[in-house]
Amino acid sequence: MALLHPVWLLLAVPLGVSLLLWRLPSRFLQGLRGVILLLVLLALTGLALRLPSRAGTVIVVADRSLSMPADADTAQKLAIDLIQEARGPDEHLAVVTFGQRTAIERLPSGGHFAGFTQDVGRDASNLAEAIETALALVPRDAPGKLLLLTDGRWTGRDLSPAAAQAAARGVTLDYRSLQRPAAGDVAIDRIEAPGSVGPGESFLITAWVHAPSAQEVAFELRRDGKILAAGKRRVTAGLNRLTFRDRAGQPGSQGYTLKVDAGASDPVPENNRARLLVGVRGPRPLLLVTADPEKSGLARLLRAGGLNVKAARPRDCSWALEDLSRAAAVLLENVPAEQIGTAGMEALAAWVRETGAGLMMTGGRGSYGPGGYFRSPLEPIMPVSMELRKEHRKLSLAIVVALDRSGSMAMPVAGGRVKMDLANLGAVQVLDLLGPSDELGVLAIDTVPHVIQPLLPVTDKAPVRDQILRIRSEGGGIYVYVALEAAAEMLLKAKAGTKHIILFADAADAEEPGRYEELVAKCRGAGITVSVIGLGREADKDGALLKDIAKRGGGRCFFSDNPEELPRLFAQDTFVVARSSFLDEVTPIRTTAGLSALAGNQRLGGRSPLLQIGGYNLCYLRPGANLAAVTTDEYTAPVVAAWQAGAGRVLCYTGEADGKYTGPIAKWGEVGEFFTSLARWTAGPSGELPGNMLVTQRVNRGVAEIRLHLDPARKAEPFSELPAVSVLRGQGEVKPRVEKDRLRWRDADTLALDVPLHGEETVLATVAVPGHGPVALPPACLPYSPEFRPGAGGAGLTTLERLARATGGCERVELASLWKEMPKVQRLIEIGPWLLLTAVLLLLLEIFERRTGLLTRGGRLTWDRVRAAGRLPRRQQKPATAPPPQPASSARKAVPATAPPEPVPKAAASAPAVPPTSESQPTGAGLLDALRKMQARRPGRKE
């Protein structure tokens, strides 16, 4: 036995004293009370029994990396189900999955395991971290086993410390090997080239191809999608070298892809294709994104000014890190936000902030607020804001938002939310943009309209926001005609000058349009416009219908298959309807002294010529931004504004650089120098370090080795603190992840940092030396995911056997035997709850005995207790008769004068008086005998 909380024994003394002071009427009750107090005291001290038990915890550690077989998830789920069915009531099962990260899929106290749900990243196998996480789930005082469902191929930290930790705790590591067949695997073992070269420099690309036997393989080398070399080659068993020669082009980076083909029988085709990135030193070109590269007047002006400009359409641009790294800055010429996409804008914003690159935006009807950049990922890095200010509103606005809440809106999206949640956030964006003079109504539509918010002025937003966010999908489909009819009917009562409907619907599930053409025509006649936001793609089955509704309604139509974009689209449409932020009138502007800082030309920036532009986007200068040109109209709005965004530079020109609304400024003799100076400032400095400092980068064994070399002959250190390193990690056109670190001294003249590379992601590192500009390094990547690297046969199985030997585990064929072979350990089984239950039962017994006396009176109730409880019926009591009068003298003689008065018990004194009977009551007579005798003595009593 053991006491888990012995401190409660201190209560024994006061409990014993209380038992002596407050005694009970009988020894039985006194002993019963003592037993009750003892049981409560033992329960408080945590009395536990030490018993041997096999009841323990099994943690299944499932490998979900790319190196696993294609059906690994199914096999692992089946194994977990078998273990789950065989466990007993006191046995616990948990599931841990791992890849690049580790996640707990099921806790030991969890319910039935339904399947894998966590995203662990499949480009690595961090087995050491998974074992440590699983060990933390095994209780210290109970037996446990870890079952590894993996191929044994691991990445990350060494496994030895984790195995030692398991052995020290007595937890065995069992395994079931799930191997991907590797016989006959032809693979690219590695591909090598210089990390960076100069423009026009020739260099070699060397690839090592591993073949299991002598055979013929086909190869193909591409540079940025164009074939450089292709053919066939006879290879021998082992490593074979392929060599290629190429010449560097423009500064930036060049991407290469090598592919080998050994036939359809290759079991691991993923390692037959390898990537390589080579940096080209020198000033990088500017990327001008425009609707028509061939006719862009801005491109001609910039090239005439001596800038290296590459013009491209938005659809031809890639916003991946390796592609962005080829440009010094990106210029967006009147490009709508939807043509870049949310992911592209997120990548652009991170690239500018972290690498020291530049971004310049010019105006037009497809830019700034009208172009969808309001509350976009790019707006925070812009030196101008695009908010709605009520003093610039011309008319009040009435909007009705009709939200699709059909069954498709219950589909989950990222962050644990569903599509309906993001649609609700979009409606909240509309609410936030409106003012007290505006009106808002909200409908939730399935087969009938449901009024969430009647059309009312926007005065108190909090309760309206709460109602909108509570909308939930209720199943069914959206009836388009019903939605438009209900919204139009609501707007007929509006007092605002501008009336607008926003219809949100699933582009693949918009039903029952009815006679929408006639209805929308009547809306237009009543001054009501209609915009549509379609969740899905324009090519979906109802995409054409939604486009036609918006066209007939005089509004805009947006499509997006990314629910995360919905709030921005709602805000964009409301922004355009609320005010025309593009002013299409000829407007005079003046330059300021701030233009000198941008142009680097006192002659251009020092004077203020009389200039006019044909139109501009109404924006507002942010605090801390440099104002270089401003309108002279009633708004005094910024035309040229710039600032530093993180390490990069951002410049905004709110007028149209080349188009219908360029205006008279196009005829200004120095307009070319004006735009060239703005673009040159945006591109920033060259990034060269003074004082013979040199930054290098080399990819070696899956690590990007960054080195800062200092001049050995320097007289002092060129910086006061360690240089910072910003690392962008991205894969394709997704939002990159940002990591921060610092270089550290490696020797007297070198600072270093090693950046590990993962999977198929691209890493873009930038070194910021204090007192100097940032230096962007060429992008780096691995040839392919390390999960597919060719390895020695049986290496993974050898790893599993070594782990099992070190901890006393084994290979598991029969999974149900895991529970039976669990080691016996002494377990402390706490019996406190049972002691408390016993104490409660004994307390109830005490109360029963005190009320009845059945246990101590031979099973009969006493007459005194009946009298004390007042339970004798009134009709069975005899009427009180006065005793015959006696002389006072005789009465005095009957009682001796010296006789002391007999003490009256308290219970008798307080009990109600019972009339005396003609003969004494037999001692110990029960209640039934007493009642029968009383009845016999009064035969003539009437009932």
Side-chain angles (χ1 to χ4, degrees):
M1 290 189 181
L3 297 180
L4 303 181
H5 313 293
V7 68
W8 290 103
L9 289 175
L10 296 175
L11 290 177
V13 175
L15 288 178
V17 173
S18 67
L19 194 63
L20 294 175
L21 293 179
W22 290 281
R23 301 185 65 83
L24 294 176
S26 67
R27 293 181 180 180
F28 175 77
L29 290 176
Q30 189 75 7
L32 193 60
R33 176 65 61 87
V35 173
I36 293 173
L37 293 178
L38 177 62
L39 292 176
V40 173
L41 181 62
L42 292 176
L44 290 174
T45 58
L47 181 63
L49 302 178
R50 295 184 183 273
L51 298 175
S53 173
R54 292 187 186 273
T57 304
V58 170
I59 314 293
V60 177
V61 181
D63 185 351
R64 300 188 61 216
S65 63
L66 290 174
S67 64
M68 295 293 287
D71 60 345
D73 283 4
T74 303
Q76 291 168 342
K77 175 66 167 57
L78 179 60
I80 295 170
D81 289 343
L82 290 173
I83 299 172
Q84 194 165 234
E85 292 172 2
R87 73 187 180 99
D90 295 331
E91 296 166 332
H92 302 285
L93 173 67
V95 179
V96 173
T97 58
F98 71 96
Q100 197 169 341
R101 299 173 295 277
T102 299
I104 300 174
E105 296 276 0
R106 183 188 189 274
L107 289 169
S109 58
H112 181 78
F113 178 71
F116 301 111
T117 59
Q118 301 291 333
D119 179 18
V120 295
R122 309 192 69 182
D123 283 322
S125 301
N126 200 340
L127 181 55
E129 181 182 336
I131 293 175
E132 292 172 356
T133 302
L135 285 173
L137 298 178
V138 179
R140 292 278 178 177
D141 57 345
K145 284 181 176 290
L146 268 59
L147 176 64
L148 308 180
L149 302 178
T150 175
D151 58 3
R153 303 181 63 175
W154 57 275
T155 58
R157 292 186 286 113
D158 184 34
L159 301 177
S160 299
Q165 183 181 351
R169 291 191 51 188
V171 177
T172 61
L173 300 183
D174 296 347
Y175 68 91
R176 172 177 276 194
S177 178
L178 301 176
Q179 298 289 335
R180 189 173 185 174
D185 179 28
V186 174
I188 301 173
D189 187 77
R190 62 186 185 273
I191 183 169
E192 300 169 341
S196 63
V197 294
E201 180 182 344
S202 296
F203 60 94
L204 291 177
I205 299 174
T206 304
W208 296 89
V209 178
H210 178 271
S213 60
Q215 57 187 302
E216 185 178 66
V217 297
F219 63 88
E220 180 182 86
L221 179 67
R222 291 176 177 264
R223 183 185 64 193
D224 298 330
K226 298 180 180 180
I227 297 178
L228 290 183
K232 292 184 179 182
R233 176 166 173 184
R234 188 76 182 174
V235 296
T236 60
L239 289 178
N240 300 267
R241 185 173 65 176
L242 300 180
T243 305
F244 308 94
R245 184 180 296 273
D246 194 24
R247 185 183 297 273
Q250 288 188 344
S253 65
Q254 297 180 173
Y256 296 87
T257 303
L258 175 63
K259 183 178 179 182
V260 297
D261 187 5
S265 60
D266 195 330
V268 189
E270 292 88 350
N271 56 24
N272 294 355
R273 182 179 179 274
R275 281 197 313 156
L276 176 68
L277 295 172
V278 177
V280 182
R281 296 185 295 269
R284 294 168 290 169
L286 303 178
L287 175 61
L288 175 63
V289 185
T290 181
D292 193 344
E294 305 298 330
K295 299 180 180 179
S296 173
L298 180 59
R300 289 195 299 270
L301 286 176
L302 297 180
R303 287 170 180 148
L307 296 181
N308 183 6
V309 177
K310 177 185 176 183
R313 294 179 177 85
R315 65 173 181 267
D316 298 328
C317 294
S318 170
W319 309 111
L321 292 180
E322 57 263 36
D323 295 305
L324 286 173
S325 67
R326 298 170 184 170
V330 172
L331 281 60
L332 301 177
E333 185 185 8
N334 199 22
V335 177
E338 61 183 5
Q339 294 185 13
I340 300 176
T342 300
M345 288 188 285
E346 289 173 340
L348 265 175
W351 174 65
V352 170
R353 282 194 304 261
E354 305 301 331
T355 69
L359 174 67
M360 175 176 169
M361 179 180 289
T362 68
R365 289 195 177 274
S367 188
Y368 294 98
Y373 290 95
F374 178 63
R375 294 192 177 176
S376 71
L378 284 182
E379 188 188 21
I381 67 171
M382 291 184 180
V384 296
S385 65
M386 294 167 271
E387 76 267 22
L388 290 172
R389 294 189 179 177
K390 60 182 181 180
E391 62 267 21
H392 293 162
R393 295 272 302 277
K394 302 300 183 183
L395 295 173
S396 59
L397 173 63
I399 289 185
V400 173
V401 180
L403 294 175
D404 176 2
R405 74 167 193 183
S406 61
S408 60
M409 292 297 107
M411 295 296 293
V413 294
R417 298 178 292 187
V418 298
K419 294 179 179 179
M420 192 76 248
D421 295 329
L422 296 174
N424 295 344
L425 290 175
V428 168
Q429 291 285 332
V430 178
L431 171 68
D432 291 341
L433 289 172
L434 301 182
S437 61
D438 301 317
E439 299 171 88
L440 174 67
V442 180
L443 298 169
I445 311 294
D446 39 46
T447 55
V448 294
H450 306 272
V451 178
I452 305 300
Q453 167 66 20
L455 188 68
L456 293 172
V458 181
T459 52
D460 188 2
K461 295 184 178 182
V464 181
R465 179 182 289 105
D466 183 65
Q467 290 296 323
I468 294 173
L469 294 176
R470 291 176 181 268
I471 301 175
R472 293 292 177 263
S473 172
E474 301 291 342
I478 179 173
Y479 283 15
V480 173
Y481 186 88
V482 170
L484 293 174
E485 183 182 40
E489 183 179 354
M490 190 177 281
L491 279 173
L492 290 177
K493 305 174 185 178
K495 301 177 181 179
T498 303
K499 303 174 184 179
H500 186 63
I501 296 173
I502 299 178
L503 174 65
F504 167 70
D506 192 333
D509 189 26
E511 306 176 33
E512 300 294 335
R515 299 169 61 183
Y516 74 91
E517 301 95 339
E518 181 180 344
L519 178 60
V520 174
K522 290 181 179 179
C523 289
R524 294 292 289 132
I528 300 173
T529 56
V530 182
S531 289
V532 178
I533 298 176
L535 180 58
R537 296 171 298 175
E538 187 176 342
D540 290 342
K541 71 179 184 68
D542 296 318
L545 167 65
L546 300 182
K547 283 181 62 179
D548 191 55
I549 293 173
K551 182 179 179 181
R552 292 174 183 270
R556 288 146 300 281
C557 186
F558 306 95
F559 289 98
S560 177
D561 55 3
N562 180 12
E564 300 286 346
E565 286 191 336
L566 292 179
R568 182 182 65 82
L569 297 179
F570 277 89
Q572 178 181 349
D573 187 66
T574 306
F575 187 93
V576 175
V577 174
R579 69 174 171 94
S580 177
S581 60
F582 184 77
L583 306 182
D584 56 358
E585 301 174 353
V586 174
T587 306
I589 67 171
R590 63 178 178 84
T591 60
T592 69
L595 185 60
S596 300
L598 303 181
N601 186 332
Q602 293 296 330
R603 181 181 60 82
L604 184 60
R607 57 179 178 166
S608 180
L610 182 61
L611 301 174
Q612 290 182 325
I613 55 178
Y616 69 97
N617 290 274
L618 180 56
C619 300
Y620 307 96
L621 189 72
R622 291 186 187 273
N626 177 20
L627 180 64
V630 63
T631 65
T632 59
D633 59 4
E634 58 178 312
Y635 299 121
T636 59
V639 176
V640 177
W643 71 355
Q644 198 83 20
R649 298 179 171 189
V650 182
L651 184 143
C652 290
Y653 176 72
T654 60
E656 189 170 27
D658 177 36
K660 178 180 178 181
Y661 301 104
T662 302
I665 195 174
K667 299 180 180 179
W668 182 32
E670 298 177 3
V671 65
E673 186 178 354
F674 174 73
F675 282 116
T676 300
S677 299
L678 299 183
R680 185 178 288 115
W681 179 88
T682 304
S686 61
E688 297 294 333
L689 292 176
N692 293 326
M693 287 189 291
L694 178 64
V695 179
T696 62
Q697 175 181 267
R698 182 171 73 104
V699 177
N700 181 33
R701 300 182 62 84
V703 173
E705 300 174 344
I706 300 174
R707 303 291 184 263
L708 174 60
H709 305 275
L710 305 180
D711 186 358
R714 66 188 185 281
K715 297 182 179 180
E717 302 302 342
F719 40 78
S720 57
E721 58 180 343
L722 294 176
V725 179
S726 177
V727 178
L728 284 179
R729 297 181 181 271
Q731 184 172 339
E733 296 187 15
V734 297
K735 181 180 180 180
R737 294 182 294 113
V738 181
E739 296 177 358
K740 303 283 189 179
D741 209 332
R742 289 187 178 275
L743 294 175
R744 296 171 179 82
W745 288 100
R746 169 152 295 200
D747 54 46
D749 302 320
T750 309
L751 292 95
L753 177 67
D754 292 340
V755 178
L757 305 177
H758 303 303
E760 297 182 357
E761 68 183 9
T762 299
V763 167
L764 196 57
T766 303
V767 178
V769 179
H772 307 284
V775 178
L777 299 174
C781 68
L782 294 176
Y784 46 77
S785 171
E787 293 297 302
F788 301 125
R789 70 185 186 278
L797 187 58
T798 302
T799 299
L800 296 176
E801 291 173 348
R802 178 168 56 86
L803 291 175
R805 271 197 313 273
T807 59
C810 63
E811 182 177 7
R812 284 288 167 184
V813 179
E814 177 60 39
L815 296 177
S817 62
L818 272 169
W819 305 108
K820 299 177 183 178
E821 298 180 14
M822 195 75 70
K824 283 186 178 182
V825 297
Q826 293 290 329
R827 288 185 60 193
L828 286 176
I829 301 177
E830 192 172 355
I831 61 174
W834 298 103
L835 296 177
L836 286 177
L837 178 61
T838 305
V840 170
L841 294 177
L842 292 179
L843 180 62
L844 294 176
L845 179 61
E846 177 193 325
I847 295 172
F848 178 77
E849 170 60 18
R850 294 178 64 184
R851 293 282 185 180
T852 64
L854 286 177
L855 298 178
T856 57
R857 300 286 183 174
R860 295 174 298 171
L861 292 173
T862 64
W863 177 255
D864 290 340
R865 291 185 179 276
V866 172
R867 288 187 301 169
R871 297 174 62 183
L872 186 63
R874 182 178 297 274
R875 62 185 180 86
Q876 294 181 359
Q877 299 177 1
K878 289 185 177 183
T881 58
Q886 295 181 1
S889 60
S890 62
R892 283 194 298 267
K893 291 179 182 179
V895 180
T898 59
E902 183 179 354
V904 180
K906 293 182 179 181
S910 61
V914 180
T917 59
S918 59
E919 62 183 26
S920 62
Q921 175 73 22
T923 302
L927 175 62
L928 296 179
D929 293 339
L931 291 176
R932 281 197 295 269
K933 290 180 179 180
M934 291 176 65
Q935 186 70 20
R937 293 165 188 240
R938 303 177 61 193
R941 184 178 183 274
K942 296 181 180 179
E943 296 293 335

